[in-house]
Amino acid sequence: MVSPTPEAGGDASRPWQSLSTGFEQARAREDSLDRLVEWPAERALLGDVTGLAVLDAGCGNGSKVAQLAEEGASQAVGVDISGNFVNARPGVELVQADLSDLSAAPGLAGRRFDRILFLQSFGYAKDSVRALQVARDMLTDDGFILLTRTQPIRYALERAEQNGTTIGEEYFSTASFSYQHRNWDDQVTLTKRPYTMSDLLNTFSAAGLWIEQAVEPHMSSEAVARFPEKYAAVSKHFVGIIMFKLRPLPGGRT
């Protein structure tokens, strides 16, 4: 998933509403990076969810939170702006709403969750610090946020190659850039906000969160053996995904 920003007077959610169906179709493929790399690592970080309340912010079609319900989550709630959800599943709540303020989503005010997920969806928040503050205050006492983002160096590598510039120039650039998403729908133009690792860390700190664990997963040797063409295609720029397990700082709740 990407990190779009609105054009002047626009809405950052519109590209995702157009791309969501294509994204889910791509993710369901046997050789998708989500299936090979991201979801196994995310699932490992979540741990045993038996009896836990889980909220997936930017859940796509809701298939991941539905799986967590099947694995024993006592509450499994997914929120996504697209509303393109899987068919109703026992024990799963799917809510069409903006993840920018989870407490404003229908039926979520005053509720608490043991796990809150932002799986490649965080870039869609209108105010990233505020979105995390709201999520932080919805955690139970021992709860945590699992947040994943594309490693920013990956974007810098791609832009440097496309623009004939240097990695350093692109990594520290603050100018938004746009492109058509060839894999899902080349009729949709996405605009991304560049960010650095320090931007991410400062956002977490400003939201009253600390990093308990960070993981940068990659294709396993088994996956490489099964899909060598996939590995060859992604290894050029696949610095990849970085995952953060975030907990509230002491006294950080509002």
Coordinates of all heavy atoms in Angstrom, one line a residue, residues 129-226:
V129 N 0.1 12.2 13.7 CA 0.3 12.2 15.2 C -1.1 12.0 15.9 O -1.2 11.2 16.8 CB 1.0 13.5 15.6 CG1 1.0 13.6 17.2 CG2 2.4 13.5 15.1
R130 N -2.1 12.8 15.5 CA -3.4 12.7 16.1 C -4.0 11.3 15.9 O -4.6 10.7 16.9 CB -4.3 13.7 15.4 CG -5.8 13.6 15.9 CD -6.0 13.8 17.3 NE -7.4 13.7 17.7 CZ -7.8 13.5 19.0 NH1 -6.9 13.4 20.0 NH2 -9.1 13.4 19.2
A131 N -3.8 10.7 14.7 CA -4.3 9.3 14.5 C -3.7 8.3 15.5 O -4.4 7.5 16.1 CB -4.1 8.9 13.1
L132 N -2.4 8.4 15.8 CA -1.8 7.5 16.7 C -2.2 7.9 18.2 O -2.3 7.0 19.0 CB -0.3 7.6 16.6 CG 0.3 6.9 15.3 CD1 1.8 7.0 15.4 CD2 -0.1 5.4 15.3
Q133 N -2.4 9.1 18.5 CA -2.8 9.5 19.8 C -4.2 8.9 20.1 O -4.4 8.3 21.2 CB -2.9 11.0 20.0 CG -1.5 11.7 20.0 CD -1.6 13.2 20.0 OE1 -2.5 13.8 19.5 NE2 -0.6 13.8 20.6
V134 N -5.1 9.0 19.2 CA -6.4 8.4 19.4 C -6.3 6.9 19.6 O -6.9 6.3 20.5 CB -7.3 8.7 18.2 CG1 -8.6 7.9 18.3 CG2 -7.6 10.2 18.1
A135 N -5.5 6.2 18.7 CA -5.3 4.8 18.8 C -4.7 4.4 20.1 O -5.1 3.4 20.8 CB -4.5 4.3 17.6
R136 N -3.7 5.2 20.5 CA -3.0 4.9 21.8 C -4.0 4.9 23.0 O -4.0 4.1 23.9 CB -1.9 6.0 22.0 CG -1.2 5.9 23.4 CD -0.6 7.3 23.7 NE -1.6 8.3 24.0 CZ -1.5 9.6 23.9 NH1 -0.3 10.1 23.5 NH2 -2.5 10.4 24.2
D137 N -4.9 5.9 23.0 CA -5.9 6.0 24.1 C -6.9 4.9 24.0 O -7.7 4.8 25.0 CB -6.5 7.4 24.1 CG -5.5 8.5 24.5 OD1 -4.5 8.2 25.0 OD2 -5.8 9.7 24.2
M138 N -7.0 4.2 22.9 CA -8.0 3.1 22.8 C -7.4 1.7 23.2 O -8.1 0.7 23.2 CB -8.5 3.0 21.4 CG -9.3 4.2 21.0 SD -9.8 4.2 19.2 CE -11.1 2.9 19.3
L139 N -6.1 1.7 23.6 CA -5.4 0.5 24.0 C -5.8 0.1 25.4 O -6.0 1.0 26.3 CB -3.9 0.6 23.9 CG -3.3 0.7 22.5 CD1 -1.8 1.1 22.6 CD2 -3.4 -0.6 21.8
T140 N -5.8 -1.2 25.7 CA -5.9 -1.7 27.0 C -4.6 -1.5 27.7 O -3.6 -1.1 27.1 CB -6.3 -3.2 27.0 OG1 -5.2 -3.9 26.3 CG2 -7.6 -3.4 26.4
D141 N -4.5 -1.7 29.0 CA -3.3 -1.4 29.8 C -2.1 -2.2 29.2 O -1.0 -1.6 29.3 CB -3.5 -1.8 31.3 CG -4.4 -0.8 32.0 OD1 -4.7 0.3 31.4 OD2 -5.0 -1.2 33.0
D142 N -2.2 -3.4 28.7 CA -1.1 -4.1 28.2 C -1.2 -4.2 26.7 O -0.5 -5.1 26.1 CB -1.1 -5.6 28.8 CG 0.3 -6.3 28.6 OD1 1.3 -5.6 28.7 OD2 0.3 -7.5 28.2
G143 N -1.9 -3.3 26.0 CA -2.1 -3.4 24.6 C -0.9 -2.7 23.8 O -0.1 -2.0 24.4
F144 N -0.9 -3.0 22.5 CA 0.1 -2.4 21.7 C -0.4 -2.1 20.3 O -1.4 -2.8 19.9 CB 1.5 -3.1 21.7 CG 1.4 -4.5 21.1 CD1 1.4 -4.7 19.7 CD2 1.4 -5.6 21.8 CE1 1.4 -5.9 19.1 CE2 1.4 -6.9 21.3 CZ 1.4 -7.0 19.9
I145 N 0.3 -1.2 19.6 CA 0.0 -0.9 18.2 C 1.0 -1.6 17.3 O 2.2 -1.6 17.6 CB 0.0 0.6 18.0 CG1 -1.1 1.3 18.7 CG2 -0.1 0.9 16.5 CD1 -1.0 2.8 18.7
L146 N 0.5 -2.3 16.3 CA 1.4 -2.9 15.3 C 1.3 -2.0 14.0 O 0.2 -1.9 13.4 CB 1.1 -4.3 15.0 CG 1.9 -5.0 13.9 CD1 3.4 -4.9 14.2 CD2 1.4 -6.4 13.6
L147 N 2.4 -1.3 13.7 CA 2.3 -0.4 12.5 C 3.4 -0.8 11.5 O 4.6 -1.0 11.9 CB 2.5 1.0 13.0 CG 2.4 2.2 12.0 CD1 1.9 3.4 12.7 CD2 3.8 2.5 11.4
T148 N 3.1 -0.8 10.3 CA 4.0 -1.2 9.2 C 4.1 0.0 8.2 O 3.0 0.6 7.9 CB 3.7 -2.5 8.5 OG1 2.6 -2.3 7.6 CG2 3.4 -3.6 9.5
R149 N 5.3 0.2 7.7 CA 5.4 1.2 6.6 C 6.5 0.8 5.7 O 7.4 0.0 6.0 CB 5.9 2.6 7.2 CG 4.8 3.3 8.0 CD 4.7 4.8 7.6 NE 4.2 5.0 6.3 CZ 3.9 6.2 5.8 NH1 4.2 7.3 6.6 NH2 3.5 6.4 4.6
T150 N 6.5 1.3 4.5 CA 7.5 1.0 3.5 C 8.8 1.7 4.0 O 8.8 2.8 4.4 CB 7.2 1.5 2.1 OG1 6.0 0.8 1.7 CG2 8.3 1.2 1.1
Q151 N 9.9 1.0 3.9 CA 11.2 1.6 4.3 C 11.5 2.8 3.4 O 11.5 2.6 2.2 CB 12.3 0.5 4.1 CG 13.7 1.0 4.1 CD 14.2 1.7 5.3 OE1 14.2 2.9 5.3 NE2 14.5 1.0 6.4
P152 N 11.7 4.0 3.9 CA 11.8 5.2 3.1 C 12.9 5.1 2.1 O 12.9 5.8 1.0 CB 11.9 6.3 4.1 CG 12.3 5.7 5.3 CD 11.7 4.3 5.4
I153 N 14.0 4.4 2.4 CA 15.1 4.3 1.5 C 14.7 3.7 0.2 O 15.2 4.0 -0.9 CB 16.3 3.5 2.1 CG1 16.8 4.3 3.3 CG2 17.4 3.3 1.1 CD1 17.9 3.6 4.1
R154 N 13.7 2.8 0.2 CA 13.2 2.1 -1.0 C 12.7 3.2 -2.0 O 13.0 3.2 -3.2 CB 12.1 1.1 -0.7 CG 11.5 0.5 -1.9 CD 10.4 -0.4 -1.5 NE 9.6 -0.8 -2.7 CZ 8.5 -1.6 -2.7 NH1 8.1 -2.0 -1.5 NH2 7.9 -1.9 -3.8
Y155 N 11.9 4.1 -1.4 CA 11.4 5.2 -2.3 C 12.5 6.1 -2.9 O 12.4 6.5 -4.0 CB 10.4 6.1 -1.5 CG 9.1 5.4 -1.2 CD1 8.4 5.7 0.0 CD2 8.5 4.5 -2.0 CE1 7.2 5.2 0.4 CE2 7.2 3.9 -1.7 CZ 6.6 4.3 -0.5 OH 5.4 3.7 -0.2
A156 N 13.5 6.3 -2.0 CA 14.6 7.2 -2.5 C 15.4 6.5 -3.6 O 15.8 7.1 -4.6 CB 15.5 7.5 -1.3
L157 N 15.6 5.2 -3.5 CA 16.2 4.4 -4.5 C 15.5 4.5 -5.9 O 16.0 4.7 -6.9 CB 16.4 3.0 -4.1 CG 17.4 2.6 -3.1 CD1 17.2 1.2 -2.5 CD2 18.8 2.8 -3.7
E158 N 14.2 4.3 -5.8 CA 13.3 4.3 -7.0 C 13.3 5.7 -7.6 O 13.5 5.8 -8.9 CB 11.9 3.9 -6.6 CG 11.8 2.4 -6.2 CD 10.3 2.1 -5.8 OE1 9.5 3.0 -5.6 OE2 10.0 0.9 -5.7
R159 N 13.2 6.7 -6.8 CA 13.1 8.1 -7.4 C 14.5 8.5 -8.0 O 14.6 9.1 -9.0 CB 12.7 9.1 -6.3 CG 11.3 8.9 -5.9 CD 10.7 10.1 -5.2 NE 11.6 10.6 -4.1 CZ 11.5 10.1 -2.8 NH1 10.6 9.1 -2.5 NH2 12.3 10.6 -1.9
A160 N 15.6 8.1 -7.3 CA 16.9 8.4 -7.8 C 17.1 7.8 -9.2 O 17.7 8.4 -10.1 CB 18.0 8.0 -6.8
E161 N 16.7 6.6 -9.3 CA 16.9 5.9 -10.6 C 16.0 6.5 -11.7 O 16.4 6.7 -12.8 CB 16.5 4.4 -10.5 CG 16.7 3.6 -11.7 CD 16.5 2.1 -11.4 OE1 15.3 1.7 -11.6 OE2 17.4 1.4 -11.0
Q162 N 14.8 6.9 -11.3 CA 13.8 7.5 -12.3 C 14.3 8.9 -12.7 O 14.1 9.3 -13.9 CB 12.4 7.5 -11.7 CG 11.8 6.1 -11.5 CD 10.6 6.2 -10.6 OE1 10.2 7.3 -10.2 NE2 10.0 5.0 -10.4
N163 N 14.8 9.7 -11.7 CA 15.1 11.1 -12.0 C 16.5 11.4 -12.3 O 16.9 12.5 -12.6 CB 14.7 11.9 -10.7 CG 13.2 11.8 -10.4 OD1 12.4 11.5 -11.3 ND2 12.9 12.0 -9.1
G164 N 17.4 10.4 -12.3 CA 18.8 10.6 -12.5 C 19.5 11.4 -11.5 O 20.4 12.2 -11.7
T165 N 19.0 11.3 -10.2 CA 19.5 12.1 -9.1 C 20.3 11.1 -8.2 O 20.5 9.9 -8.5 CB 18.4 12.8 -8.3 OG1 17.4 11.8 -8.0 CG2 17.8 13.9 -9.2
T166 N 20.6 11.5 -7.0 CA 21.3 10.7 -6.0 C 20.3 10.2 -5.0 O 19.2 10.8 -4.7 CB 22.4 11.4 -5.3 OG1 21.9 12.5 -4.5 CG2 23.4 12.0 -6.4
I167 N 20.7 9.1 -4.3 CA 19.8 8.6 -3.2 C 19.7 9.6 -2.1 O 18.6 9.8 -1.6 CB 20.4 7.3 -2.7 CG1 20.4 6.2 -3.8 CG2 19.6 6.8 -1.5 CD1 21.1 4.9 -3.4
G168 N 20.8 10.3 -1.8 CA 20.7 11.3 -0.7 C 19.8 12.4 -1.0 O 19.0 12.9 -0.2
E169 N 19.8 12.9 -2.3 CA 18.9 14.0 -2.7 C 17.5 13.6 -2.5 O 16.6 14.4 -2.0 CB 19.2 14.4 -4.2 CG 20.4 15.2 -4.5 CD 20.5 15.4 -5.9 OE1 21.1 14.5 -6.6 OE2 20.1 16.5 -6.4
E170 N 17.2 12.4 -3.0 CA 15.8 11.9 -2.9 C 15.3 11.6 -1.5 O 14.2 11.8 -1.1 CB 15.6 10.8 -3.9 CG 15.8 11.1 -5.3 CD 14.8 12.1 -5.9 OE1 13.8 12.4 -5.2 OE2 15.1 12.5 -7.0
Y171 N 16.2 11.0 -0.7 CA 15.9 10.6 0.6 C 15.5 11.8 1.5 O 14.5 11.8 2.3 CB 17.0 9.9 1.3 CG 16.7 9.4 2.7 CD1 15.9 8.3 2.9 CD2 17.2 10.0 3.8 CE1 15.6 7.8 4.2 CE2 17.0 9.5 5.1 CZ 16.1 8.5 5.3 OH 15.8 8.0 6.5
F172 N 16.2 12.9 1.3 CA 15.9 14.1 2.1 C 15.0 15.1 1.4 O 14.7 16.2 1.9 CB 17.2 14.8 2.5 CG 18.0 14.0 3.5 CD1 19.2 13.4 3.1 CD2 17.6 13.9 4.8 CE1 19.9 12.6 4.0 CE2 18.3 13.1 5.7 CZ 19.5 12.5 5.3
S173 N 14.5 14.8 0.2 CA 13.6 15.7 -0.5 C 12.2 15.8 0.3 O 11.8 14.8 0.9 CB 13.3 15.1 -1.9 OG 12.3 15.9 -2.5
T174 N 11.7 16.9 0.3 CA 10.4 17.2 0.9 C 9.3 17.4 -0.1 O 8.1 17.6 0.3 CB 10.4 18.4 1.9 OG1 10.8 19.5 1.1 CG2 11.4 18.1 3.0
A175 N 9.6 17.3 -1.4 CA 8.6 17.5 -2.4 C 7.8 16.3 -2.7 O 8.3 15.2 -2.9 CB 9.3 18.0 -3.7
S176 N 6.5 16.4 -2.7 CA 5.6 15.3 -3.0 C 5.8 14.9 -4.4 O 6.2 15.7 -5.3 CB 4.1 15.6 -2.7 OG 3.9 15.9 -1.4
F177 N 5.5 13.6 -4.7 CA 5.7 13.1 -6.1 C 4.5 12.2 -6.4 O 3.9 11.6 -5.5 CB 7.0 12.4 -6.3 CG 7.2 11.1 -5.4 CD1 6.9 9.9 -5.9 CD2 7.5 11.3 -4.1 CE1 7.1 8.7 -5.1 CE2 7.7 10.2 -3.3 CZ 7.4 8.9 -3.8
S178 N 4.1 12.1 -7.7 CA 3.0 11.4 -8.1 C 3.3 10.4 -9.2 O 4.3 10.5 -9.9 CB 1.9 12.4 -8.7 OG 1.5 13.3 -7.8
Y179 N 2.5 9.3 -9.3 CA 2.7 8.3 -10.3 C 1.4 7.5 -10.5 O 0.6 7.5 -9.6 CB 3.9 7.4 -10.0 CG 3.7 6.4 -8.9 CD1 3.5 5.1 -9.2 CD2 3.6 6.8 -7.6 CE1 3.3 4.1 -8.2 CE2 3.4 5.9 -6.6 CZ 3.3 4.6 -6.9 OH 3.0 3.7 -5.9
Q180 N 1.4 6.8 -11.6 CA 0.2 5.8 -11.8 C 0.6 4.5 -11.3 O 1.7 4.0 -11.5 CB -0.1 5.7 -13.3 CG -0.9 6.9 -13.9 CD -0.1 8.1 -14.0 OE1 1.1 8.1 -14.4 NE2 -0.6 9.3 -13.6
H181 N -0.3 3.8 -10.6 CA 0.0 2.5 -10.0 C -0.3 1.4 -11.1 O -1.4 1.0 -11.3 CB -0.9 2.3 -8.8 CG -0.3 1.2 -7.9 ND1 -0.2 -0.1 -8.3 CD2 0.3 1.3 -6.7 CE1 0.4 -0.8 -7.3 NE2 0.7 0.1 -6.3
R182 N 0.8 1.0 -11.7 CA 0.8 0.1 -12.8 C 0.2 -1.3 -12.4 O -0.4 -2.0 -13.2 CB 2.2 -0.1 -13.4 CG 2.7 1.2 -14.0 CD 4.1 1.0 -14.6 NE 5.1 0.5 -13.6 CZ 5.7 1.3 -12.8 NH1 5.6 2.6 -12.9 NH2 6.6 0.8 -11.9
N183 N 0.5 -1.7 -11.2 CA 0.1 -3.1 -10.8 C -1.4 -3.2 -10.5 O -1.9 -4.3 -10.6 CB 0.9 -3.5 -9.5 CG 2.4 -3.6 -9.8 OD1 2.8 -3.9 -11.0 ND2 3.2 -3.4 -8.9
W184 N -2.0 -2.2 -10.0 CA -3.4 -2.3 -9.6 C -4.4 -1.6 -10.5 O -5.4 -2.2 -10.9 CB -3.6 -1.8 -8.1 CG -2.7 -2.4 -7.1 CD1 -2.1 -3.6 -7.2 CD2 -2.4 -1.9 -5.8 NE1 -1.4 -3.8 -6.1 CE2 -1.5 -2.8 -5.2 CE3 -2.7 -0.7 -5.1 CZ2 -1.0 -2.6 -4.0 CZ3 -2.2 -0.5 -3.9 CH2 -1.4 -1.5 -3.3
D185 N -4.1 -0.3 -10.9 CA -4.9 0.4 -11.7 C -4.2 1.6 -12.2 O -4.0 2.6 -11.5 CB -6.2 0.9 -11.0 CG -7.2 1.5 -11.8 OD1 -6.9 2.0 -12.9 OD2 -8.4 1.6 -11.5
D186 N -3.7 1.6 -13.5 CA -2.9 2.7 -14.0 C -3.7 3.9 -14.4 O -3.2 4.9 -14.9 CB -2.1 2.2 -15.2 CG -2.9 1.7 -16.4 OD1 -4.2 1.9 -16.3 OD2 -2.4 1.1 -17.3
Q187 N -5.0 3.9 -14.1 CA -5.9 5.1 -14.3 C -5.9 5.9 -13.1 O -6.5 7.0 -13.1 CB -7.3 4.6 -14.7 CG -7.4 3.8 -16.0 CD -6.7 4.5 -17.2 OE1 -7.1 5.6 -17.5 NE2 -5.8 3.8 -17.8
V188 N -5.3 5.5 -12.0 CA -5.4 6.2 -10.7 C -4.0 6.8 -10.5 O -3.0 6.1 -10.5 CB -5.8 5.3 -9.5 CG1 -5.7 6.1 -8.2 CG2 -7.2 4.7 -9.8
T189 N -4.0 8.1 -10.2 CA -2.7 8.8 -9.9 C -2.6 8.9 -8.4 O -3.5 9.3 -7.7 CB -2.7 10.2 -10.5 OG1 -2.7 10.1 -11.9 CG2 -1.4 10.9 -10.1
L190 N -1.5 8.5 -7.8 CA -1.2 8.6 -6.4 C -0.1 9.6 -6.1 O 0.8 9.8 -6.9 CB -0.7 7.2 -5.9 CG -1.6 6.0 -6.1 CD1 -0.9 4.7 -5.7 CD2 -2.8 6.2 -5.3
T191 N -0.3 10.3 -5.1 CA 0.7 11.3 -4.6 C 1.2 10.9 -3.3 O 0.4 10.6 -2.3 CB 0.0 12.7 -4.5 OG1 -0.5 13.1 -5.8 CG2 1.0 13.7 -4.1
K192 N 2.5 10.8 -3.2 CA 3.2 10.4 -1.9 C 3.9 11.5 -1.2 O 4.5 12.4 -1.9 CB 4.2 9.3 -2.2 CG 3.6 8.0 -2.7 CD 4.7 6.9 -2.9 CE 4.1 5.6 -3.4 NZ 5.2 4.6 -3.6
R193 N 3.9 11.4 0.1 CA 4.7 12.3 0.9 C 6.0 11.6 1.2 O 6.0 10.6 1.9 CB 4.0 12.6 2.2 CG 2.9 13.7 2.2 CD 2.5 14.1 3.7 NE 2.1 12.9 4.4 CZ 0.8 12.5 4.5 NH1 -0.1 13.2 3.9 NH2 0.5 11.4 5.2
P194 N 7.1 12.2 0.8 CA 8.4 11.6 1.2 C 8.5 11.7 2.8 O 8.0 12.6 3.4 CB 9.4 12.4 0.5 CG 8.7 13.1 -0.6 CD 7.3 13.3 -0.1
Y195 N 9.2 10.7 3.3 CA 9.5 10.7 4.8 C 10.8 10.0 5.0 O 11.2 9.2 4.2 CB 8.3 10.1 5.6 CG 8.0 8.7 5.2 CD1 8.6 7.6 5.8 CD2 7.0 8.4 4.2 CE1 8.3 6.3 5.4 CE2 6.7 7.1 3.8 CZ 7.4 6.0 4.4 OH 7.1 4.8 4.1
T196 N 11.4 10.3 6.1 CA 12.7 9.7 6.5 C 12.4 8.9 7.8 O 11.3 8.9 8.4 CB 13.7 10.8 6.9 OG1 13.3 11.5 8.0 CG2 13.9 11.7 5.7
M197 N 13.4 8.1 8.1 CA 13.3 7.3 9.4 C 13.1 8.2 10.6 O 12.3 7.9 11.5 CB 14.5 6.4 9.6 CG 14.5 5.2 8.7 SD 13.1 4.1 8.9 CE 13.2 3.7 10.6
S198 N 13.8 9.3 10.6 CA 13.6 10.2 11.7 C 12.2 10.8 11.8 O 11.7 11.0 12.9 CB 14.7 11.4 11.7 OG 14.5 12.1 10.5
D199 N 11.6 11.0 10.6 CA 10.2 11.5 10.6 C 9.3 10.5 11.3 O 8.4 10.8 12.1 CB 9.7 11.7 9.2 CG 10.3 12.8 8.4 OD1 10.7 13.8 9.1 OD2 10.4 12.8 7.2
L200 N 9.5 9.2 11.0 CA 8.7 8.1 11.6 C 8.9 8.1 13.1 O 8.0 8.1 13.9 CB 9.0 6.8 11.0 CG 8.5 6.5 9.6 CD1 9.0 5.1 9.2 CD2 7.0 6.5 9.6
L201 N 10.2 8.1 13.5 CA 10.5 8.1 15.0 C 9.9 9.3 15.7 O 9.4 9.1 16.8 CB 12.0 7.9 15.2 CG 12.7 6.7 14.5 CD1 14.2 6.8 14.8 CD2 12.0 5.4 15.0
N202 N 10.0 10.4 15.1 CA 9.5 11.7 15.8 C 8.0 11.6 15.9 O 7.4 12.1 16.8 CB 10.0 12.9 15.0 CG 11.5 13.2 15.2 OD1 12.1 12.8 16.2 ND2 12.1 13.8 14.3
T203 N 7.3 11.0 14.9 CA 5.9 10.9 14.9 C 5.5 10.0 16.1 O 4.5 10.3 16.8 CB 5.4 10.3 13.6 OG1 5.6 11.3 12.5 CG2 3.8 10.1 13.7
F204 N 6.1 8.9 16.2 CA 5.8 8.0 17.4 C 6.0 8.7 18.7 O 5.2 8.6 19.6 CB 6.7 6.7 17.3 CG 6.6 5.9 16.0 CD1 7.6 5.1 15.6 CD2 5.5 6.0 15.2 CE1 7.5 4.4 14.5 CE2 5.4 5.3 14.1 CZ 6.4 4.5 13.7
S205 N 7.1 9.4 18.8 CA 7.4 10.1 20.1 C 6.4 11.2 20.4 O 5.9 11.3 21.5 CB 8.8 10.7 20.0 OG 9.1 11.4 21.2
A206 N 6.0 12.0 19.3 CA 5.0 13.0 19.5 C 3.7 12.5 19.9 O 2.9 13.1 20.6 CB 4.9 13.8 18.2
A207 N 3.4 11.2 19.5 CA 2.1 10.6 19.8 C 2.1 9.9 21.2 O 1.1 9.3 21.6 CB 1.7 9.6 18.7
G208 N 3.3 9.9 21.9 CA 3.4 9.3 23.2 C 3.6 7.8 23.1 O 3.1 7.1 24.0
L209 N 4.3 7.4 22.2 CA 4.6 5.9 22.0 C 6.1 5.6 22.0 O 6.9 6.5 21.6 CB 4.0 5.5 20.7 CG 2.4 5.6 20.5 CD1 2.0 5.5 19.1 CD2 1.7 4.5 21.4
W210 N 6.4 4.4 22.4 CA 7.8 4.0 22.3 C 7.9 2.7 21.5 O 6.9 1.9 21.5 CB 8.5 3.9 23.6 CG 7.9 2.8 24.6 CD1 6.8 2.9 25.4 CD2 8.4 1.5 24.8 NE1 6.6 1.8 26.1 CE2 7.6 0.9 25.8 CE3 9.5 0.8 24.3 CZ2 7.8 -0.4 26.2 CZ3 9.8 -0.5 24.8 CH2 8.9 -1.1 25.7
I211 N 9.0 2.4 20.9 CA 9.2 1.2 20.1 C 9.7 0.1 20.9 O 10.8 0.1 21.4 CB 10.1 1.5 18.9 CG1 9.6 2.6 18.0 CG2 10.3 0.2 18.1 CD1 10.7 3.1 17.0
E212 N 8.8 -0.9 21.1 CA 9.3 -2.1 21.9 C 10.1 -3.1 21.0 O 11.0 -3.7 21.4 CB 8.1 -2.9 22.4 CG 8.5 -4.1 23.2 CD 7.3 -4.8 23.8 OE1 6.8 -4.3 24.9 OE2 6.8 -5.8 23.2
Q213 N 9.7 -3.1 19.7 CA 10.4 -4.0 18.7 C 10.2 -3.5 17.3 O 9.2 -2.9 17.0 CB 9.8 -5.4 18.8 CG 10.6 -6.5 18.0 CD 10.0 -7.9 18.2 OE1 9.0 -8.1 19.0 NE2 10.6 -8.8 17.6
A214 N 11.3 -3.6 16.5 CA 11.2 -3.3 15.1 C 11.7 -4.5 14.3 O 12.7 -5.1 14.7 CB 12.0 -2.0 14.8
V215 N 11.0 -4.7 13.2 CA 11.4 -5.9 12.3 C 11.4 -5.5 10.9 O 10.5 -4.7 10.4 CB 10.4 -7.0 12.5 CG1 10.6 -8.2 11.6 CG2 10.4 -7.6 14.0
E216 N 12.4 -5.9 10.1 CA 12.4 -5.7 8.7 C 12.4 -7.1 8.0 O 13.5 -7.7 7.7 CB 13.6 -4.9 8.3 CG 13.6 -3.5 8.8 CD 14.7 -2.6 8.3 OE1 14.6 -2.1 7.2 OE2 15.7 -2.5 9.0
P217 N 11.3 -7.6 7.7 CA 11.2 -9.0 7.1 C 11.6 -9.0 5.7 O 11.6 -8.0 5.0 CB 9.7 -9.4 7.3 CG 9.0 -8.0 7.2 CD 9.9 -7.0 7.8
H218 N 12.0 -10.2 5.2 CA 12.4 -10.4 3.8 C 12.0 -11.8 3.4 O 11.5 -12.6 4.2 CB 13.9 -10.2 3.7 CG 14.7 -11.1 4.5 ND1 15.0 -10.8 5.9 CD2 15.3 -12.3 4.3 CE1 15.8 -11.7 6.4 NE2 16.0 -12.7 5.5
M219 N 12.1 -12.1 2.1 CA 11.7 -13.4 1.6 C 12.6 -14.5 2.2 O 13.8 -14.4 2.3 CB 11.8 -13.5 0.1 CG 10.7 -12.7 -0.6 SD 10.8 -12.8 -2.4 CE 10.4 -14.5 -2.7
S220 N 11.9 -15.6 2.7 CA 12.6 -16.7 3.3 C 13.3 -17.5 2.2 O 13.0 -17.3 1.0 CB 11.7 -17.6 4.0 OG 10.8 -18.2 3.1
S221 N 14.3 -18.3 2.5 CA 15.0 -19.1 1.5 C 14.0 -20.0 0.8 O 14.1 -20.3 -0.4 CB 16.1 -19.9 2.2 OG 15.6 -20.7 3.2
E222 N 13.0 -20.5 1.5 CA 12.0 -21.4 0.9 C 11.2 -20.6 -0.1 O 10.9 -21.1 -1.2 CB 11.0 -21.9 2.0 CG 9.9 -22.8 1.5 CD 8.9 -23.2 2.5 OE1 9.0 -22.8 3.7 OE2 7.9 -23.9 2.1
A223 N 10.8 -19.3 0.2 CA 10.0 -18.5 -0.7 C 10.9 -18.2 -1.9 O 10.4 -18.2 -3.1 CB 9.5 -17.3 0.0
V224 N 12.1 -17.9 -1.7 CA 13.0 -17.6 -2.8 C 13.1 -18.8 -3.8 O 13.1 -18.6 -5.0 CB 14.4 -17.2 -2.3 CG1 15.4 -17.1 -3.5 CG2 14.4 -15.9 -1.6
A225 N 13.2 -20.0 -3.2 CA 13.3 -21.2 -4.0 C 12.0 -21.4 -4.8 O 12.1 -21.9 -6.0 CB 13.6 -22.4 -3.1
R226 N 10.9 -21.1 -4.2 CA 9.6 -21.3 -4.9 C 9.3 -20.3 -6.0 O 8.7 -20.6 -7.0 CB 8.5 -21.3 -3.9 CG 8.4 -22.5 -2.9 CD 7.3 -22.3 -1.9 NE 6.0 -22.2 -2.6 CZ 4.9 -21.6 -2.1 NH1 5.0 -21.0 -0.9 NH2 3.7 -21.6 -2.8

